[in-house]
Each structure stands twice: as C-alpha cells, then as structure tokens.
C-alpha cells in the first residue's frame, strides 16, 4: 500500500553565461546581502515587521518578488532564533548572499534543442542569459518537472560555489509514491546524538541488523569554529566572526548530507522499512544544564539531520514516523528494565539482567520496540541476544574522505566483550575478527 506525497528536490546546474554581464549576478548578490542585513538591523532597532517589509522591499534594487524572498529568508532566521529561546541569533552577512528567485518572475527556463536555457533577472530590466550545464539525471528531472502536470518548478538560488556560477533549482513531485507506515515489515529505530547516529532494524521475528555511524568531526569542527568566533568577538572583529560562522554552517551541512545518504543506503537493504525517530521537538524546553552544555545541546543539528534522512528516504518510497523519546536510552532492550543507572555515557549495562551494549545502539532498538507496541495487532519480538555492534566512522583524511565501515565491536550472548575488534569489509559490511 502506498500514499501520494509532495516531495521537493534541489537540482544543481553550473551556468554557461552567454548574454549579459556576469558581474550583474555578483552585484545582485551584494544587494541581497544588503537587504538581508537591513532586515536584521531594523528588527534589532525595534521596528514592526510589517513596516520593515514595506520599507526594505521599496528600497531594494531587485525584482520585487526576489526582494520579498530575501526578506522572508531574514524573517525565517529571526523566527528560528526567537522560537529557540534566543539561541542562534542571526548575524549580519559579510559575504555575498544567494540571489533567491521565483520561477517565472526572477528567473525563467526554456527547453531548446535538447538543452535548457535560462534567463535571470539580476536587477529590474537587467537580464543574464545562457545555458544550464549538468548531469543527465539532473536534466531528466528538470525536464520532467517542466513538462509533467504532476510536477512543478519552484524557487531557485544563483550563487558562486568553488569559483563557478551555479543555479540551484527546486522541483516538486506532487504525487510521489511513499509506502504506508502501518504496512512496514522492518522497523528501523534511530537514535541521533551529537557525535553519532545509531540504527537498529527490527521485524516481528527479531532484530535483523544494527549499525552505529560515528561523525566525530562535526562536533570537533563546531567547537573549533566556536572558539575562533569567540576570539574574534573579543577582538571586535565581527566581519571575521560572520565568515567563520558561514564556513561552519557549510561544513556541517555537507557532513549531514553525507551521513543522511549513508543512512538511507543502509536502510534500503531491508524489506518494506519504516524509519522511526525520537520526537525531540520539545527537547530544548526540557534542557537546563548550564551555559556551556546548553550551548552544545541547543545548537545540535538534530532536526536538520532528521529532515535530510526523511527527505532522502521519501524519494526512495520509505516512510518515517516518531515516538516519545522518554526512557528509550535507559530501557534494557532484552528484559525491559528501566533505570537511569543502566547507562553510563556510551556504555549500557542493565542492573537487572546485566546485558551490556553500546548505549546508542540499545536506544535505537528501544525506539523500534516502542513503535511496534503502538501499532494494533503487531508483535514485539522477545530478544535474547543482539548482533555485534558494527561501527562506521565518517571522517576526513589527507588521502580523501572515509565514509564506510571502519571498526566493529563484537558481542556474544548480548554482552559486549572487551578488547576485541575487527576491521570491516566496506563492500559487504561483514567483519573479520582481529
């Protein structure tokens, strides 16, 4: 059983500018930056938002709808700041800001002789024209969105990445087919942490497999950039502070895309899966651990990683759901005993049955079990043992990125053994003992 769902995808095309001055795009992005910063400045000066919108839009040297998109972007950043109890205050931009446009107003696309031409209104009555470049897959999706009534082309951003002009175009399939959650055969419990994500695949017959994907560099780089920004602020170098913040956001964004892609690839191995997350939307309201820990926890990209996984999985027809996170990290997946003392950082040891496990993997199993209990006429399997804990590490090295399984930790009869490890075969996911 499937259900229709609207899904949006971003396509990336390098630009081959053939008419108009390419510097117009640079000037337009400078104006976008000015508009964004002006919204922030007037907000911090206490202006009413309706008045800000009218004044900034009227004075912007951009196509009207483009100016509105940039203003909305600034308001979204402010909304997120205030919704999260004044965490993540938007800063003034010092680099060029992407030119954000509506299809048919700020930019247009034309199918012509097996290629796609573009026209971008960088400023009123000033156009930049040329051809899109890119991969066949990207062009196939774009062409389908332009021709098919069930698809449509949405907003786009013109920006410079790696020294080249690019157009990032959103396309939406209004009737994409996603499997129904209630008919899923495999439940994949997910536990997201600041340095790893744990996945456990469970059926009504028992546990199929599990994996812990480590991404230590996200935490390390975030702390590194925080330290540099703090020093810049103390020295009064606000321009550098903003540059470092933007670099941090791009790094985290790219890493989360890689992690989410690996997660979905792993989940696709199973029959009719559903992905189950912990519902953490109220997490910030319940956390008060002091300034340093609050900063770390409030700024973690839990929601962004979940969104990336959900979005990529939906394009593969895989549904997602969530459960109440209460006690999932404290509950023993074998005997069900729940106690805070069961968990000590990354180590789980049940005070009742003495089962030992990787704490995050155990939480992933508990999430899957909790989802099954919520369903009518579904069996929650009794677990006597769990498979070995396999760990993948996402990291960068001088020779290039390593984003496959690197180390596994074996378990026997549900107990984690000490000082026993193996190296995984990246192609099969199997491990050979050391």
């Amino acid at each position: 059983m499937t259900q229709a769902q609207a899904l949006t995808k971003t396509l990336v095309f390098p630009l081959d500018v053939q008419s108009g001055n390419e510097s117009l795009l640079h000037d337009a992005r400078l104006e976008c930056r000015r508009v964004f910063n002006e919204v922030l400045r007037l907000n911090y000066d206490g202006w009413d938002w309706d008045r800000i919108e009218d004044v900034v839009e009227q004075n912007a040297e951009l196509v009207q709808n483009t100016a509105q998109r940039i203003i909305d972007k600034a308001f979204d950043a402010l909304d997120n700041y205030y919704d999260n109890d004044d965490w993540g205050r938007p800063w003034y931009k010092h680099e060029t800001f992407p030119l954000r446009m509506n299809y048919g107003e700020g930019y247009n696309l034309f199918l012509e002789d097996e290629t796609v031409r573009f026209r971008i209104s960088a400023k009123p009555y000033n156009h930049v024209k040329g051809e899109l470049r890119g991969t066949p897959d990207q062009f196939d999706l774009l062409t389908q969105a332009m021709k098919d009534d069930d698809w449509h082309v949405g907003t786009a951003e013109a920006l410079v990445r790696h020294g080249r002009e690019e157009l990032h175009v959103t396309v939406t399939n209004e009737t994409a087919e996603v499997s129904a959650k209630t008919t899923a055969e495999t439940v994949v419990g997910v536990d997201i942490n600041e340095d790893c994500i744990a996945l456990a695949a469970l059926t009504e017959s028992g546990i199929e497999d599990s994996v812990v994907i480590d991404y230590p560099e996200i935490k390390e780089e975030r702390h590194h950039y925080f330290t540099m920004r703090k020093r810049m602020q103390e020295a009064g170098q606000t321009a550098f502070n903003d540059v470092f913040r933007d670099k941090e956001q791009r790094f985290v964004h790219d890493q989360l895309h890689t992690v989410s892609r690996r997660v979905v690839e792993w989940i696709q191995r199973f029959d009719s899966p559903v992905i189950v997350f912990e519902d953490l939307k109220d997490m910030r309201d319940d956390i008060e651990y002091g300034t340093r820990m609050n900063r770390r926890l409030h700024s973690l990209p839990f929601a962004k990683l979940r969104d990336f996984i959900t979005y990529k999985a939906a394009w593969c027809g895989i549904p997602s759901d969530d459960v109440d996170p209460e006690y999932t990290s404290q509950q023993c997946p074998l005997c069900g005993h729940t106690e805070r003392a069961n968990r000590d950082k990354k180590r789980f040891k049940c005070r009742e049955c003495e089962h030992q496990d990787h704490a995050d993997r155990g939480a992933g199993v508990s999430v899957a079990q909790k989802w099954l209990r919520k369903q009518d006429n579904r069996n929650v399997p009794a677990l006597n043992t769990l498979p070995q804990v396999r760990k993948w590490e996402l990291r960068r090295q001088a020779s290039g990125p390593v984003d496959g399984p690197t180390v596994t930790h074996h378990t026997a009869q549900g107990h984690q053994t000490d000082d026993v490890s193996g190296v995984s075969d990246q192609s099969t996911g199997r491990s050979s003992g050391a």
Side-chain angles (χ1 to χ4, degrees), residues 223-234:
H223 179 71
H224 174 64
Y225 279 116
F226 170 78
T227 302
M228 289 193 297
R229 292 200 313 272
K230 187 174 181 180
R231 290 173 178 172
M232 292 296 127
Q233 290 172 348
E234 292 173 350

Side-chain angles (χ1 to χ4, degrees), residues 254 351 376 384:
D254 290 344
R351 301 292 177 174
D376 296 330
N384 297 318

Side-chain angles (χ1 to χ4, degrees), residues 182-302:
T182 54
T183 61
E185 297 178 23
T186 307
V187 184
V188 180
V190 180
D191 183 60
I192 301 177
N193 303 276
E194 66 174 332
D195 57 359
C196 73
I197 180 170
L199 310 170
L202 194 70
T203 68
E204 293 184 68
S205 301
I207 187 164
E208 297 293 310
D209 199 1
S210 62
V211 68
V212 177
I213 302 177
D214 286 328
Y215 38 82
E217 281 206 342
I218 294 181
K219 178 181 175 181
E220 293 166 3
E221 289 292 302
R222 288 171 73 89
H223 179 71
H224 174 64
Y225 279 116
F226 170 78
T227 302
M228 289 193 297
R229 292 200 313 272
K230 187 174 181 180
R231 290 173 178 172
M232 292 296 127
Q233 290 172 348
E234 292 173 350
Q237 300 294 332
T238 57
F240 286 104
N241 169 76
D242 192 59
V243 169
F244 284 127
R245 183 182 296 275
D246 288 343
K247 287 184 177 180
E248 175 194 356
Q249 290 175 349
R250 289 195 295 271
F251 172 81
V252 172
H253 183 87
D254 290 344
Q255 289 283 294
L256 294 184
H257 265 304
T258 302
V259 173
S260 59
R261 185 171 63 252
R262 299 301 175 210
V263 168
V264 175
E265 288 173 353
W266 187 82
I267 292 171
Q268 285 182 283
R269 301 164 46 204
F270 304 101
D271 294 332
S272 184
V274 59
I275 307 174
V276 182
F277 300 90
E278 294 176 306
D279 184 1
L280 300 175
K281 63 177 180 292
D282 297 324
M283 179 187 68
R284 287 183 173 87
D285 298 332
D286 301 329
I287 293 176
E288 189 54 55
Y289 295 136
T291 302
R292 182 175 178 274
M293 184 58 71
N294 279 349
R295 174 186 63 78
R296 283 174 54 191
L297 294 179
H298 282 250
S299 63
L300 287 175
F302 292 122

Side-chain angles (χ1 to χ4, degrees), residues 19-31:
S19 175
N21 192 337
E22 192 171 308
S23 65
L24 286 173
L25 295 175
H26 177 74
D27 293 342
R29 286 191 288 267
L30 290 177
E31 179 64 5

Side-chain angles (χ1 to χ4, degrees), residues 307-419:
D307 288 346
F308 284 1
I309 295 171
T310 301
Y311 154 80
K312 288 180 171 63
W315 276 98
C316 299
I318 302 173
S320 300
D321 203 357
D322 55 45
V323 296
D324 185 343
E326 191 172 22
Y327 304 124
T328 53
S329 64
Q330 302 174 20
Q331 184 177 55
C332 177
L334 300 192
C335 73
H337 176 69
T338 304
E339 182 181 344
R340 176 175 291 183
N342 283 348
R343 176 164 185 165
D344 181 17
K345 298 180 180 178
K346 295 294 183 182
R347 183 181 179 88
F348 182 96
K349 183 176 182 179
C350 179
R351 301 292 177 174
E352 186 71 21
C353 70
E354 297 188 347
H355 161 68
Q356 297 185 56
D357 198 3
H358 186 293
D360 298 324
R361 194 274 290 271
V365 176
S366 296
V367 168
Q369 290 174 321
K370 181 174 282 192
W371 187 87
L372 278 173
R373 292 190 190 100
K374 286 174 51 182
Q375 312 308 308
D376 296 330
N377 303 318
R378 298 296 292 268
N379 175 55
V380 181
L383 303 177
N384 297 318
T385 62
L386 295 177
Q388 66 182 29
V389 178
R390 293 194 300 116
K391 296 188 72 176
W392 294 7
E393 184 170 347
L394 188 77
R395 66 181 189 272
R396 295 180 302 177
Q397 292 182 338
S399 59
V402 175
D403 51 14
T406 57
V407 177
T408 63
H409 300 282
H410 297 275
T411 59
Q413 301 298 321
H415 296 270
Q416 182 169 337
T417 57
D418 294 330
D419 300 320

Side-chain angles (χ1 to χ4, degrees), residues 51-69:
R51 188 182 174 201
I52 292 175
E53 184 175 351
D54 291 340
V55 170
V56 175
E57 182 180 315
Q58 183 178 358
N59 294 330
E61 294 184 24
L62 296 167
V63 174
Q64 183 178 10
N65 286 282
T66 299
Q68 187 58 58
R69 294 286 72 75

